[in-house]
Structure formats: structure tokens, C-alpha cells
Amino acid sequence: MTSAISQVSLSELPMDNWMANLPSALWDTPLCYMAIPGSHNAITYCLDKNDRSPVDLTQPDMLQKLDKYMKPIIRPFVYKWAIAQESCIREQLDCGVRYCDLRIAHRPNDSSNDLYFYHGVYTTMTVEKVLKEIREWLDVHPKEVVILSFSHFLDLNQELHTLLVSTIKSVFDSKLCPRMDRVTLRTLWSQGHQVIVSYEDNIANWHRELWLHIPYWWANKCKAEALIEEFERRKQNGRPGGFFVTGINLTEDLKYICSHPTESLKDVVMSTNPMLLSWVKQQKPGSNTDSLNIIAGDFVTESQFIPTVIALNENLLNRTIIPEP
């Protein structure tokens, strides 16, 4: 099967099992040198649209005040710009996503220890429920590997961090890959590991199952041209040594949102996708200083973003793609 697949573009692989179907020539390539498609703000498909749910505490004071006194007017804007993915986590994984950007919060005035995701507002689904869904998906895709990045912690004290780490260990158990250098698919498969957890807190130093935070290149630009220019500048300075993420997600500020009342984040993403995907196609994975690794975006299941990123791994193969007759 591998020899047959090696003659066609990697973008044609079955997306739900693309790692399992990679040519054997890539099995010993460190994952930090491969092109891996990622989901920015992965769990924003289930934001709480109940008006009693507050906007998250990272939002500007002005927005929090407007939301408090003009909620019926403000909330529709918040949702339009806060939702970065419309597909649920299972659908994202089925479509080929192998890196998930997970932003974790404890809701204000919540007496429970439940944790949620957030972006603008909080999610309805708890962290534990989503992690269990990922575990169930992995059980039926035993050769797929996911990288879960826990970051942007909001209102988590040390006790909640300890509980979250305990939940991660309990849910994924032996599937968790401990920190190691230059991890490859062959190594992971031989040891039954399927989950790499990156954790943006010092508690990671005390748990070998937690990898230190994976750097995320965030351009903080609202125009595709400016984003590309920023990443080309960063590439000149050289890639990090291990895993790292290039986020092709555009960032709109409150001024832009207020001056474009009929637009949404999805409108912006879809209109800029052609230019950004054209740039992605020109990138190469590998160990060179200007190579990329994980590439993450918004609404990743809505375009050819995922197969485009996976196909970049053809650059790591010493072969010529044979066009179909």
C-alpha cells in the first residue's frame, strides 16, 4: 500500500488516517521537521450563546462595559468574531488536523472545578469532555498522533492546574508521549504513544508527560500581505530547534470590528485564503533555518488548507510525483 501511495500526492491521502498512510521514508523523520496542519482556537465551535454567560476577562474594559449595558447589540458582534472553527473536534481530526490550540479558563463566579475553553466568551463544553472525545477518536485511529497545546490559562490557580494535569493523565494514560528529543512516527508507534501535550505553565517542569510550551508565531496583523511579510522576516532569523507553530490567523482589533458591522471573522478568513494558501504552498518543512513545522489557521476544514499543508511533506521525499494519466 505504501509503495502505491508514494506515487501520488500526499494531499490525496485519506485525511482521517494520513499519518498512518505516509510513505515509510517519512517514518523516521522527526515530527518537528514535518509539516503538520493545526487548528487555531480549536474549540470555539461551542461558545456559550446564553446571554448570562460573561465575556472572558481578557477582553478590553470598554467591551466588557458595553456588553454589560448593551448586551443585545454587542453580543452578535462578539460571536461573529470569536468563532474561529465551526467544525467539532471529531470533524477537525477526521479532516486531518493534528495540532490543537487549546485555551483554558475557569469561569468567574463558578464554585465548581470545571474548566472550559474560551475566546471572547466561554464554551459550553468542559475541557474534560473534549479530551475524552479526542481519546475516543484516537482509539479508532491508532497510528495518528495529535499535539495538544494548553495555553493562555485564565483564572487557574495551582490547585486547578494540578487537577487539569491529573485529568490529562487520566484521559490519555499510556497514549501520552513523555518529553524526548526528535520524536518520530516510528518511535511513537512502537511505544503506543499518540498524544504530545504542550503546557504553558511551570508545572510542566514537574511532569515528564508534559512538554514545555511550543512557540507560536503570531503575526498580529489584520492584512494577509502584512502577515506574510512578518513571517518572511521571522524566517530570516531562523526557526526554533523543536516544535513550533506558524499561525496564519489574522487579528482584527475592536476598531476594525466596529467599522465593519456586517463582516465576520469567517468573511475575512475566506476572502484572504487564496493569498495565504498560495504562500503556504511555497513553504518547506525540514531542519533548514527557513523551514516551517506546524501551520495553524482558522476555519481549517472549510478550504484546502489541510491537504495543502500535508502535501508540503513531499519536499522531504527524494522522489518525483508521477501525475495521474
Side-chain angles (χ1 to χ4, degrees):
M1 184 174 185
T2 299
S3 60
I5 282 180
S6 67
Q7 299 304 311
V8 300
S9 170
L10 299 186
S11 64
E12 301 299 319
L13 296 180
M15 289 295 108
D16 63 332
N17 272 305
W18 68 265
M19 287 181 160
N21 285 286
L22 285 172
S24 57
L26 293 174
W27 296 355
D28 295 308
T29 301
L31 287 183
C32 64
Y33 294 155
M34 291 178 64
I36 298 172
S39 174
H40 171 249
N41 272 310
I43 319 296
T44 50
Y45 55 86
C46 57
L47 294 179
D48 192 345
K49 294 190 176 180
N50 186 322
D51 284 348
R52 291 191 299 276
S53 176
V55 295
D56 76 59
L57 299 177
T58 67
Q59 298 306 310
D61 288 343
M62 178 183 291
L63 179 60
Q64 295 198 42
K65 287 174 182 173
L66 288 171
D67 182 71
K68 185 175 181 180
Y69 297 109
M70 303 171 63
K71 200 179 295 285
I73 298 172
I74 295 300
R75 273 306 167 94
F77 284 95
V78 173
Y79 298 133
K80 284 200 303 181
W81 292 94
I83 296 171
Q85 310 294 338
E86 289 181 337
S87 299
C88 72
I89 191 60
R90 291 173 188 265
E91 292 169 340
Q92 291 182 47
L93 294 171
D94 278 340
C95 288
V97 165
R98 296 295 177 268
Y99 165 91
C100 296
D101 167 32
L102 307 175
R103 304 180 182 211
I104 313 297
H106 184 253
R107 282 184 175 225
N109 305 315
D110 184 350
S111 58
S112 77
N113 289 324
D114 289 339
L115 297 176
Y116 297 85
F117 306 94
Y118 74 98
H119 186 227
V121 292
Y122 303 89
T123 58
T124 55
M125 292 180 69
T126 64
V127 170
E128 184 174 9
K129 181 171 175 56
V130 170
L131 297 186
K132 285 180 176 177
E133 286 193 2
I134 295 173
R135 164 70 197 239
E136 290 168 3
W137 187 90
L138 290 168
D139 284 341
V140 293
H141 298 83
K143 297 186 86 172
E144 299 306 297
V145 177
V146 297
I147 302 167
L148 305 179
S149 178
F150 291 78
S151 68
H152 294 74
F153 296 107
L154 181 59
D155 267 13
L156 267 71
N157 56 28
Q158 217 45 41
E159 179 186 0
L160 288 173
H161 273 293
T162 301
L163 282 170
L164 175 54
V165 172
S166 176
T167 298
I168 292 169
K169 290 183 177 182
S170 172
V171 170
F172 295 117
D173 198 22
S174 62
K175 290 187 184 294
L176 285 172
C177 175
R179 283 196 301 273
M180 63 177 75
D181 291 331
R182 304 292 182 259
V183 63
T184 68
L185 285 174
R186 192 189 297 274
T187 303
L188 291 164
W189 292 342
S190 68
Q191 299 176 7
H193 299 318
Q194 290 184 267
V195 183
I196 293 171
V197 169
S198 155
Y199 204 92
E200 191 184 27
D201 186 84
N202 288 334
I203 196 173
N205 294 313
W206 307 103
H207 299 270
R208 59 192 295 267
E209 300 90 347
L210 302 181
W211 294 53
L212 303 185
H213 180 59
I214 294 174
Y216 192 108
W217 283 5
W218 175 51
N220 193 20
K221 305 294 182 184
C222 62
K223 301 289 185 188
E225 298 91 340
L227 180 142
I228 290 169
E229 183 180 324
E230 171 66 15
F231 288 148
E232 287 298 329
R233 184 188 64 78
R234 293 199 189 192
K235 283 166 58 181
Q236 291 176 8
N237 295 327
R239 56 155 291 164
F243 288 111
F244 78 104
V245 186
T246 304
I248 63 166
N249 46 289
L250 297 169
T251 305
E252 312 298 351
D253 58 20
L254 197 55
K255 180 181 177 183
Y256 181 94
I257 292 171
C258 292
S259 61
H260 295 77
T262 62
E263 283 189 22
S264 67
L265 177 60
K266 187 173 184 180
D267 292 332
V268 172
V269 170
M270 292 299 119
S271 66
T272 56
N273 247 348
M275 176 179 290
L276 291 175
L277 285 185
S278 177
W279 179 79
V280 169
K281 286 177 183 178
Q282 299 168 31
Q283 306 312 303
K284 293 183 178 181
S287 57
N288 293 337
T289 57
D290 61 349
S291 298
L292 298 189
N293 175 210
I294 301 164
I295 305 176
D298 294 328
F299 301 99
V300 291
T301 64
E302 308 282 327
S303 68
Q304 288 301 301
F305 168 76
I306 295 171
T308 298
V309 174
I310 294 170
L312 296 180
N313 291 302
E314 291 166 10
N315 291 289
L316 302 173
L317 297 169
N318 295 319
R319 63 178 174 83
T320 303
I321 302 297
I322 299 176
E324 295 182 3

Short mmCIF file of all heavy atoms in Angstrom, two decimals, residues 233-259:
data_model
loop_
_atom_site.label_atom_id
_atom_site.label_comp_id
_atom_site.label_asym_id
_atom_site.label_seq_id
_atom_site.Cartn_x
_atom_site.Cartn_y
_atom_site.Cartn_z
N ARG A 233 10.06 37.73 7.47
CA ARG A 233 11.09 38.36 8.31
C ARG A 233 11.56 37.40 9.40
O ARG A 233 12.76 37.25 9.65
CB ARG A 233 10.53 39.65 8.94
CG ARG A 233 11.55 40.45 9.74
CD ARG A 233 10.90 41.60 10.49
NE ARG A 233 9.96 41.13 11.51
CZ ARG A 233 10.34 40.65 12.70
NH1 ARG A 233 11.62 40.56 13.01
NH2 ARG A 233 9.43 40.27 13.58
N ARG A 234 10.61 36.71 10.03
CA ARG A 234 10.97 35.77 11.11
C ARG A 234 11.77 34.59 10.57
O ARG A 234 12.68 34.10 11.23
CB ARG A 234 9.71 35.28 11.82
CG ARG A 234 8.99 36.35 12.59
CD ARG A 234 8.06 35.76 13.63
NE ARG A 234 7.21 36.77 14.22
CZ ARG A 234 6.47 36.56 15.30
NH1 ARG A 234 6.48 35.39 15.90
NH2 ARG A 234 5.71 37.52 15.77
N LYS A 235 11.43 34.14 9.37
CA LYS A 235 12.16 33.02 8.78
C LYS A 235 13.64 33.36 8.59
O LYS A 235 14.51 32.49 8.71
CB LYS A 235 11.52 32.61 7.45
CG LYS A 235 10.23 31.82 7.59
CD LYS A 235 9.46 31.73 6.28
CE LYS A 235 10.29 31.10 5.16
NZ LYS A 235 9.54 31.04 3.90
N GLN A 236 13.92 34.62 8.29
CA GLN A 236 15.31 35.04 8.09
C GLN A 236 16.12 34.90 9.38
O GLN A 236 17.33 34.70 9.34
CB GLN A 236 15.35 36.49 7.60
CG GLN A 236 14.84 36.67 6.18
CD GLN A 236 14.81 38.12 5.75
OE1 GLN A 236 15.31 39.00 6.45
NE2 GLN A 236 14.22 38.39 4.60
N ASN A 237 15.43 34.99 10.52
CA ASN A 237 16.11 34.86 11.82
C ASN A 237 16.27 33.40 12.24
O ASN A 237 16.91 33.12 13.25
CB ASN A 237 15.35 35.63 12.90
CG ASN A 237 15.35 37.13 12.64
OD1 ASN A 237 16.31 37.67 12.09
ND2 ASN A 237 14.27 37.80 13.02
N GLY A 238 15.65 32.49 11.50
CA GLY A 238 15.82 31.07 11.80
C GLY A 238 14.70 30.48 12.63
O GLY A 238 14.17 31.12 13.53
N ARG A 239 14.36 29.23 12.32
CA ARG A 239 13.30 28.53 13.04
C ARG A 239 13.79 28.06 14.40
O ARG A 239 15.00 27.82 14.60
CB ARG A 239 12.83 27.33 12.22
CG ARG A 239 13.93 26.34 11.84
CD ARG A 239 13.36 24.96 11.59
NE ARG A 239 12.89 24.37 12.83
CZ ARG A 239 12.08 23.31 12.90
NH1 ARG A 239 11.66 22.73 11.81
NH2 ARG A 239 11.70 22.83 14.07
N PRO A 240 12.88 27.87 15.37
CA PRO A 240 13.27 27.26 16.65
C PRO A 240 13.75 25.83 16.43
O PRO A 240 13.50 25.22 15.38
CB PRO A 240 11.97 27.29 17.46
CG PRO A 240 11.12 28.34 16.82
CD PRO A 240 11.48 28.30 15.36
N GLY A 241 14.43 25.27 17.43
CA GLY A 241 15.01 23.95 17.27
C GLY A 241 14.01 22.80 17.28
O GLY A 241 14.17 21.82 16.56
N GLY A 242 12.96 22.92 18.09
CA GLY A 242 11.98 21.84 18.19
C GLY A 242 10.68 22.17 17.48
O GLY A 242 10.68 22.83 16.44
N PHE A 243 9.56 21.69 18.06
CA PHE A 243 8.26 22.03 17.51
C PHE A 243 8.04 23.54 17.54
O PHE A 243 8.45 24.22 18.48
CB PHE A 243 7.14 21.37 18.33
CG PHE A 243 7.01 19.89 18.17
CD1 PHE A 243 7.34 19.03 19.21
CD2 PHE A 243 6.53 19.34 16.99
CE1 PHE A 243 7.21 17.66 19.08
CE2 PHE A 243 6.40 17.98 16.84
CZ PHE A 243 6.74 17.12 17.88
N PHE A 244 7.36 24.07 16.52
CA PHE A 244 6.88 25.45 16.60
C PHE A 244 5.73 25.61 15.61
O PHE A 244 5.58 24.85 14.67
CB PHE A 244 8.00 26.46 16.32
CG PHE A 244 8.37 26.66 14.88
CD1 PHE A 244 7.97 27.80 14.19
CD2 PHE A 244 9.13 25.71 14.21
CE1 PHE A 244 8.32 28.00 12.86
CE2 PHE A 244 9.48 25.91 12.87
CZ PHE A 244 9.08 27.05 12.20
N VAL A 245 4.92 26.62 15.88
CA VAL A 245 3.70 26.86 15.11
C VAL A 245 3.79 28.18 14.37
O VAL A 245 4.22 29.20 14.94
CB VAL A 245 2.46 26.89 16.02
CG1 VAL A 245 1.17 26.99 15.19
CG2 VAL A 245 2.40 25.67 16.93
N THR A 246 3.41 28.17 13.10
CA THR A 246 3.22 29.40 12.34
C THR A 246 1.70 29.60 12.21
O THR A 246 1.03 28.79 11.58
CB THR A 246 3.86 29.30 10.95
OG1 THR A 246 5.24 28.96 11.10
CG2 THR A 246 3.73 30.60 10.20
N GLY A 247 1.20 30.63 12.84
CA GLY A 247 -0.25 30.86 12.83
C GLY A 247 -0.66 31.83 11.75
O GLY A 247 -0.39 33.03 11.85
N ILE A 248 -1.32 31.32 10.71
CA ILE A 248 -1.74 32.21 9.61
C ILE A 248 -3.10 32.84 9.90
O ILE A 248 -3.82 33.23 9.00
CB ILE A 248 -1.73 31.49 8.24
CG1 ILE A 248 -2.75 30.33 8.21
CG2 ILE A 248 -0.34 31.00 7.89
CD1 ILE A 248 -3.01 29.81 6.80
N ASN A 249 -3.42 32.93 11.19
CA ASN A 249 -4.67 33.56 11.61
C ASN A 249 -4.51 35.07 11.68
O ASN A 249 -3.57 35.58 12.29
CB ASN A 249 -5.12 33.01 12.97
CG ASN A 249 -3.99 32.96 13.99
OD1 ASN A 249 -3.08 32.13 13.87
ND2 ASN A 249 -4.04 33.84 14.98
N LEU A 250 -5.43 35.78 11.02
CA LEU A 250 -5.43 37.24 11.04
C LEU A 250 -6.07 37.75 12.33
O LEU A 250 -6.91 37.07 12.93
CB LEU A 250 -6.19 37.79 9.83
CG LEU A 250 -5.57 37.44 8.47
CD1 LEU A 250 -6.52 37.78 7.34
CD2 LEU A 250 -4.25 38.17 8.28
N THR A 251 -5.67 38.93 12.76
CA THR A 251 -6.16 39.50 14.01
C THR A 251 -6.79 40.86 13.74
O THR A 251 -6.12 41.77 13.26
CB THR A 251 -5.01 39.65 15.02
OG1 THR A 251 -4.38 38.39 15.18
CG2 THR A 251 -5.54 40.13 16.36
N GLU A 252 -8.07 40.97 14.03
CA GLU A 252 -8.78 42.25 13.85
C GLU A 252 -9.00 42.90 15.21
O GLU A 252 -9.40 42.24 16.16
CB GLU A 252 -10.13 42.02 13.17
CG GLU A 252 -10.08 41.12 11.94
CD GLU A 252 -9.22 41.65 10.82
OE1 GLU A 252 -8.79 42.81 10.91
OE2 GLU A 252 -8.96 40.90 9.86
N ASP A 253 -8.75 44.21 15.29
CA ASP A 253 -8.96 44.91 16.56
C ASP A 253 -10.38 45.44 16.66
O ASP A 253 -11.18 45.36 15.71
CB ASP A 253 -7.93 46.03 16.75
CG ASP A 253 -7.97 47.05 15.61
OD1 ASP A 253 -8.99 47.12 14.91
OD2 ASP A 253 -6.96 47.78 15.44
N LEU A 254 -10.69 45.98 17.83
CA LEU A 254 -12.06 46.46 18.10
C LEU A 254 -12.46 47.56 17.12
O LEU A 254 -13.62 47.63 16.69
CB LEU A 254 -12.14 46.97 19.54
CG LEU A 254 -13.53 47.13 20.15
CD1 LEU A 254 -14.33 45.84 20.06
CD2 LEU A 254 -13.43 47.62 21.59
N LYS A 255 -11.50 48.40 16.74
CA LYS A 255 -11.80 49.49 15.80
C LYS A 255 -12.24 48.92 14.46
O LYS A 255 -13.22 49.39 13.86
CB LYS A 255 -10.55 50.35 15.63
CG LYS A 255 -10.74 51.52 14.67
CD LYS A 255 -9.45 52.33 14.54
CE LYS A 255 -9.61 53.46 13.53
NZ LYS A 255 -8.34 54.22 13.35
N TYR A 256 -11.52 47.89 13.97
CA TYR A 256 -11.88 47.29 12.68
C TYR A 256 -13.26 46.64 12.77
O TYR A 256 -14.10 46.82 11.87
CB TYR A 256 -10.84 46.23 12.29
CG TYR A 256 -11.13 45.58 10.95
CD1 TYR A 256 -10.56 46.06 9.78
CD2 TYR A 256 -12.01 44.49 10.84
CE1 TYR A 256 -10.83 45.47 8.55
CE2 TYR A 256 -12.29 43.90 9.62
CZ TYR A 256 -11.70 44.39 8.47
OH TYR A 256 -11.99 43.82 7.27
N ILE A 257 -13.50 45.91 13.85
CA ILE A 257 -14.78 45.21 14.01
C ILE A 257 -15.94 46.20 14.02
O ILE A 257 -16.97 45.98 13.35
CB ILE A 257 -14.76 44.37 15.31
CG1 ILE A 257 -13.76 43.22 15.16
CG2 ILE A 257 -16.15 43.84 15.64
CD1 ILE A 257 -13.49 42.47 16.45
N CYS A 258 -15.79 47.29 14.75
CA CYS A 258 -16.87 48.28 14.84
C CYS A 258 -17.10 49.01 13.52
O CYS A 258 -18.22 49.43 13.22
CB CYS A 258 -16.55 49.30 15.93
SG CYS A 258 -16.60 48.60 17.60
N SER A 259 -16.04 49.13 12.71
CA SER A 259 -16.19 49.84 11.43
C SER A 259 -16.61 48.91 10.29
O SER A 259 -16.79 49.36 9.16
CB SER A 259 -14.88 50.56 11.09
OG SER A 259 -13.82 49.62 10.95
#
